[in-house]
Amino acid sequence: MAVRATALSGEVSLSAAMQAAQAGDAAAYRDLLRDCVPVISAMARARGVQGAALDDVVQDTLLTVHRARATYDPARPFLPWLRAIAQRRAIDALRRKGRRPQEVHDPLAYEARADPGPLPGDDAERRARATVLAAAVAHLPDGQREAIEHIALRELSLEEASTLTGRTKGALKVNFHRGLKALRVSLSSRKEDTDV
Amino acid sequence: MSDPAAQDPSRPNPFRTNPTSRDRSTHDLVEDLARSLTPVRRLAGPGRRTLVWSGAVLTVGLLLVPMSDVSGLRARLGVPDLHWAALGAILTALAAALAAFQSSVPGRSPAWSLLPLPPLVLWLGASGLGCLRGWLAPAANLAEPEEMRGCFVFLMGVSLPLSVLLVLMLRRACPLRPNLTAALGGLAAAAAAAALLVPFHPHDATATDLLVHLVAVLLVVGLNGLFGGRLLDGTAGPRSRPGEAGL
């Protein structure tokens, strides 16, 4: 319920910022675009865009948002409008990548070309890493765990995390630092164990 | 985790406010866009823009009234399938124009593109019934090849300015699927032209007649999809920064 309320207030503030941008408020527009960058990035990643192409999609989307800002209707939510643009730009990027010619007539170049796809063990390794991280986070004390989950993993702002957990921003900052330190210790000791 | 810059939570989001060199150009872009911001007038909703375009179609229709065969029209509209075909063409034009305007605004449901299908079925179905009648009653007033050519020229001649107007209006929005939007615009223009043709049509529908109409409609939709799509593509996909050409 609290998460939903935060998402709703985020949606309302984005919509208000876009409305201000339509009226020519450059500061609100700058903040809005900055807030949009991680959202666009996540949307593009969800579509399968990776690596340097991700930056291209973010920038193409920002340019399209700028070009299309007159089409935004403040009576409607902002995120579906942004998502439509980001998804279209992500699809464009994937198509561009698919069309890029690859050398097949030169045997050496063909053989030496690195396969951009994931290696067979990548998925298992990623899952193993996620499991290890989740276990390490779960072992943290409650306050630190909450701070890490909300600020680092879910990328919430301090204000949002504070509203959600009922803790002060100062407490969250302290817990965040302590949590990171504890994680660094637990993960590096685990790594040393596995390296031997 | 070990990046010291990423550990300062005093900013709203520690992972996005301390740009790495890779993010640098994105931050520059945000600054460029914010600097070049000018107030914009909000675009009217798709329904209102459809009404404006329909007003233009109506004006063309009124300009053509002195040349139409009104007494013949009254007799022809008495025939049920012609009546339904005309209604289908009008509804197709309105629905396709609304769908085109909806598809030119980001975030609107893609299901809007299906809106012209029911009236299109009515239009083509009623015209097809006219063909059946032609076979069942061979004495009906059949069209001469000369008249067919006239119909074709009329459809193309009226569709062209209506398409151009629609593409110009659509360019002001941001069609993310330019070819689909342009094809819907083409369907709207072709259906509007077919509806305007009704008062001038000197004969009943026949198979050849339907074929001529269908070819004209497909040609207009295809040309719009091809050229209109290219015209609209530049509006939604800017590849240049503010200050450079294109913005």
Side-chain angles (χ1 to χ4, degrees):
Chain A
M1 193 68 188
V3 175
R4 193 179 154 75
T6 313
L8 209 64
S9 71
E11 173 69 70
V12 169
S13 67
L14 288 173
S15 178
M18 191 64 198
Q19 211 172 337
Q22 285 178 332
D25 183 343
Y29 189 47
R30 186 178 293 112
D31 289 346
L32 171 77
L33 293 183
R34 279 184 189 158
D35 285 345
C36 285
V37 169
V39 180
I40 299 167
S41 227
M43 288 169 177
R45 263 199 301 270
R47 278 266 157 185
V49 180
Q50 294 168 335
L54 209 55
D55 280 350
D56 289 346
V57 172
V58 169
Q59 294 185 14
D60 277 357
T61 306
L62 291 178
L63 284 165
T64 310
V65 163
H66 186 77
R67 162 70 186 77
R69 63 192 190 280
T71 66
Y72 174 65
D73 178 2
R76 286 165 175 268
F78 176 78
L79 285 175
W81 183 82
L82 179 68
R83 188 178 296 116
I85 297 175
Q87 285 185 345
R88 181 48 45 180
R89 290 295 158 256
I91 290 168
D92 288 350
L94 292 173
R95 280 188 185 153
R96 269 202 304 276
K97 191 179 160 203
R99 275 203 294 265
R100 200 166 297 150
Q102 290 172 355
E103 182 59 73
V104 289
H105 297 298
D106 178 359
L108 262 180
Y110 183 68
E111 291 296 329
R113 192 178 70 84
D115 185 354
L119 294 171
D122 275 3
D123 198 29
E125 199 182 318
R126 197 165 42 244
R127 251 179 289 150
R129 266 205 309 268
T131 315
V132 169
L133 182 64
V137 172
H139 276 97
L140 292 174
D142 280 352
Q144 293 178 16
R145 186 176 48 75
E146 276 182 358
I148 294 286
E149 276 177 359
H150 290 131
I151 299 173
L153 300 179
R154 295 178 56 202
E155 298 196 5
L156 295 183
S157 70
L158 273 177
E159 286 82 3
E160 288 166 339
S162 169
T163 319
L164 211 59
T165 58
R167 293 174 197 270
T168 63
K169 282 199 267 182
L172 279 171
K173 274 189 212 178
V174 171
N175 277 325
F176 183 71
H177 278 296
R178 285 183 182 161
L180 282 185
K181 207 170 159 188
L183 278 180
R184 202 176 303 129
V185 170
S186 73
L187 291 175
S188 62
S189 66
R190 184 185 289 270
K191 191 165 187 289
E192 276 162 19
D193 293 346
T194 52
D195 282 350
V196 171
Chain B
M1 292 269 174
S2 60
D3 179 10
Q7 292 177 17
D8 177 14
S10 58
R11 300 285 189 88
N13 188 327
F15 294 98
R16 69 173 189 241
T17 51
N18 296 300
T20 62
S21 57
R22 219 185 63 164
D23 295 335
R24 179 59 62 193
S25 57
T26 302
H27 274 252
D28 290 347
L29 176 63
V30 168
E31 289 301 320
D32 286 353
L33 293 176
R35 256 199 306 275
S36 68
L37 182 73
T38 48
V40 284
R41 202 157 59 91
R42 209 168 295 138
L43 210 62
R48 212 157 137 195
R49 306 179 77 213
T50 306
L51 281 180
V52 171
W53 183 77
S54 309
V57 175
L58 205 64
T59 312
V60 172
L62 289 176
L63 288 175
L64 292 173
V65 162
M67 292 175 257
S68 66
D69 170 23
V70 179
S71 57
L73 170 71
R74 209 167 289 139
R76 279 197 302 280
L77 283 184
V79 181
D81 48 59
L82 286 180
H83 182 94
W84 286 113
L87 185 69
I90 293 168
L91 290 179
T92 304
L94 289 174
L98 181 61
F101 283 121
Q102 288 281 3
S103 74
S104 73
V105 178
R108 298 297 166 100
S109 168
W112 279 106
S113 312
L114 302 176
L115 187 68
L117 284 184
L120 184 66
V121 168
L122 173 67
W123 176 25
L124 296 182
S127 306
L129 274 181
C131 301
L132 273 182
R133 198 162 42 81
W135 282 324
L136 293 174
N141 179 14
L142 295 180
E144 301 290 326
E146 196 59 38
E147 289 169 340
M148 290 287 182
R149 210 168 301 135
C151 287
F152 188 76
V153 170
F154 181 96
L155 284 175
M156 298 305 285
V158 175
S159 294
L160 186 72
L162 293 179
S163 299
V164 170
L165 176 66
L166 202 54
V167 168
L168 286 178
M169 289 177 77
L170 289 168
R171 264 177 75 85
R172 294 198 56 223
C174 178
L176 294 174
R177 290 183 185 82
N179 291 330
L180 172 70
T181 303
L184 284 169
L187 179 61
L196 290 177
L197 177 66
V198 172
F200 301 89
H201 219 218
H203 45 78
D204 298 336
T206 61
T208 346
D209 192 28
L210 179 65
L211 197 69
V212 168
H213 286 202
L214 212 57
V215 167
V217 170
L218 289 178
L219 204 60
V220 172
V221 173
L223 287 175
N224 264 272
L226 198 66
F227 296 108
R230 282 183 193 170
L231 276 171
L232 295 175
D233 200 17
T235 65
R239 302 284 302 165
S240 55
R241 292 194 163 200
E244 298 170 16
L247 274 171

